[in-house]
Every structure is written in structure tokens, then in C-alpha cells.
Amino acid sequence: MKKVERINVITRYINNRAHFTISEIMQEFNISRSTAIRDIREIESMGMPLVAEVGRDGGYFVMNNSLLPTVRFTDNEIKALFIAFMATRNQQLPYLKSRQSLAEKLLGLISENQQDDLVHLNQILLFEGTNPHNPDLLDLSDLPHPTLEKLIQILLLENDLLVTVQEEKETKSYPIVLLHLHHQNGHWIIEGYDLEEEKRRIVSVDNVTHVEVYPTKKRLSPKKIIEQLSTQEEVINLVLELGPKAITQFKKYHPLKFTIAYTNPYQTTAVLKTYMNVHNPEELTEITNWLLFLGEDLKVKEIPEEVLNAVQERLSLYQMKQ
């Protein structure tokens, strides 16, 4: 057993005991007395409140009922945690109301030199969505929609939901089996199977006003739902080949149901194959705007005539204004 692994195991062993001796450590881990003493001293050097008892039957106990940490982090692991934490700013992630206390606890577990490194990293690394004039790790400007945490708490127990949504001028409720909870383009999206209409339903968490468990007598297995949805899949009518600039634009924004498949190892070219409902005016307008947003670095292999006409009309209007 390697030294770091052995010390981690010993700390867990100590955590589960109010009192222990060197002999017990030697016997439990099959190590020499000198090794056991060195390991105990290293655990003490971590700042843990171990107290030695003097006497024939003496040993050690943890002062004030404190517990030793079960995990030790290397310098690189601490930097990795810190950078990952920084990168979550302005991502509307749940459970980050305690971001300040989490950061303070992380900083309190490490040495001053390690703290200095993290402060320096915080000054030189800027991520998407970071305010360059206030790159503060403890900023609390990215709280998610208040319904999100309640939704996740319910999902940990139950996937059958009754979701109430505000849609323009009316409120509707949908009984769904949740398939996925997406975070995309700064928004949280519920993807579920509508139990009444028996089809896929996409709902923005921003529009959810209430969510609760939906009591259903007949439960559908994930396999059954996938089989049901697969029979409803539409025929592909939009095929695009994307170059590197178009891929960059795609990453900035794309409709939820659209995905790309990279066609080379460097991820500089990709293909998109999907279906779009040309009879839905809102979807037609959205796709027209999005295709123009992608730019010129793409090749159209297949496209509905309605979409092509809309794009050409938009380009003609633009040229007329020029």
C-alpha cells in the first residue's frame, strides 16, 4: 500500500474511534512502530487535534470530539477543484446559495502558500460570463430559478411529475415522466414524456410555476418510453455540414433538439441531421434566424423548401438595405 493511500486509510480508521494506540495501528495495518509513529505525526502536521495520553496504557484521542478528514488533496488537486469552482460562475447551477461558505471552507483547509496560489489564479483566469472588473469567486450573481432546487429534490425520489407551466396568457399542467434535465445556453430545460399525449415534451424551467409528484397507477419503464418515442421519430429533412467557424457559432447557441456529430478527430468539421416542422411558424422563424447566425462556413446538403425560401427572402431584404 502506498504511503498516501495508507495515511488516508488510517485517518478513516481514527475517525471511527474515540481512542487508539500505536500498537493498534501497527497491528491493523501491519506496519512497524516507527512507520506508525511517522504516519501519526504526518496526520498531526495536517493540523488535526490529536492528543497523546501519557502512561502504560496511553494512546491518542481526538481533542474536543473533532474528526479527521478522510481525504487529503495534493496541490494540483486543490487547483483543479478551485478552477472547476470558478468555471461554474454565472451558470445558474443549483445549491450554490452557499458558494461563499464553500469557498471559505476550501480556503480554510489549505496552507497559506496554497491560498496565495489560488488568489493568483483567481486574478489571471477569466471564464465565460465573468465580469473582468469583478472576478470575485464569492460573487452571488448566478442563482438559478427558485423552482430548480425543489424540482431536483423531488426527482431524487420520484420521476413522475405534474408540471405547471405559464404559457403566454394561460397556465397548463402536464403529467410527465422526466427523461433529462438539461442546462443549455444559460437555461434549464425539462425533457419528459407526456403521459396524457404520449409524446416527448420540452419545458423551460423558467416558465414552471409549480411542480409536484404525479400519482400514477401505471408506471412506464424507461425502455418502454424509448420504444414509444422511437416510433414517433420524424424523417430527417435538414442536413448540414459545418466548418470550424460554424461549429463555434453552434456552440454559442443551438436549438435544444439539435446535435452535431464531428467528422474528424480535431473536431473542426461536423454534420447535423435533424427534423424540423415547417408547418410551425415559430419553429420556421427560429431555424431561419439560426441558420443565418451560423454564418457562411457551412454546406447545405438537404433543407426544406420553406426554410430555403425564408433564408433567401431574409438575405434579399438585407441586400436591399445595403
Side-chain angles (χ1 to χ4, degrees), residues 58-69:
Y60 294 84
F61 67 89
V62 184
M63 184 174 61
N64 297 329
N65 296 319
S66 299
L67 294 179
L68 298 178

Side-chain angles (χ1 to χ4, degrees), residues 22-74:
I22 293 294
S23 298
E24 290 172 347
I25 297 294
M26 292 168 55
Q27 184 176 355
E28 180 70 23
F29 299 99
N30 192 29
I31 56 178
S32 66
R33 182 177 182 83
S34 59
T35 300
I37 291 174
R38 281 198 303 269
D39 288 349
I40 294 299
R41 287 176 177 171
E42 183 159 347
I43 292 173
E44 287 182 294
S45 70
M46 295 165 54
M48 298 303 105
L50 287 179
V51 177
E53 293 181 306
V54 180
R56 183 176 180 180
D57 298 323
Y60 294 84
F61 67 89
V62 184
M63 184 174 61
N64 297 329
N65 296 319
S66 299
L67 294 179
L68 298 178
T70 58
V71 179
R72 299 177 66 217
F73 296 107
T74 66

Side-chain angles (χ1 to χ4, degrees), residues 252-270:
K252 291 178 181 178
Y253 171 74
H254 61 271
L256 175 65
K257 66 178 183 179
F258 286 9
T259 58
I260 58 175
Y262 292 104
T263 54
N264 70 10
Y266 305 103
Q267 299 187 354
T268 55
T269 58

Side-chain angles (χ1 to χ4, degrees), residues 158-187:
E158 182 59 66
N159 277 4
D160 294 342
L161 307 174
L162 183 65
V163 179
T164 303
V165 182
Q166 182 66 43
E167 296 182 348
E168 296 182 352
K169 297 181 180 180
E170 60 180 338
T171 300
K172 293 185 178 181
S173 295
Y174 302 105
I176 67 170
V177 179
L178 185 125
L179 301 176
H180 298 100
L181 190 60
H182 301 269
H183 182 247
Q184 181 173 307
N185 303 321
H187 298 280

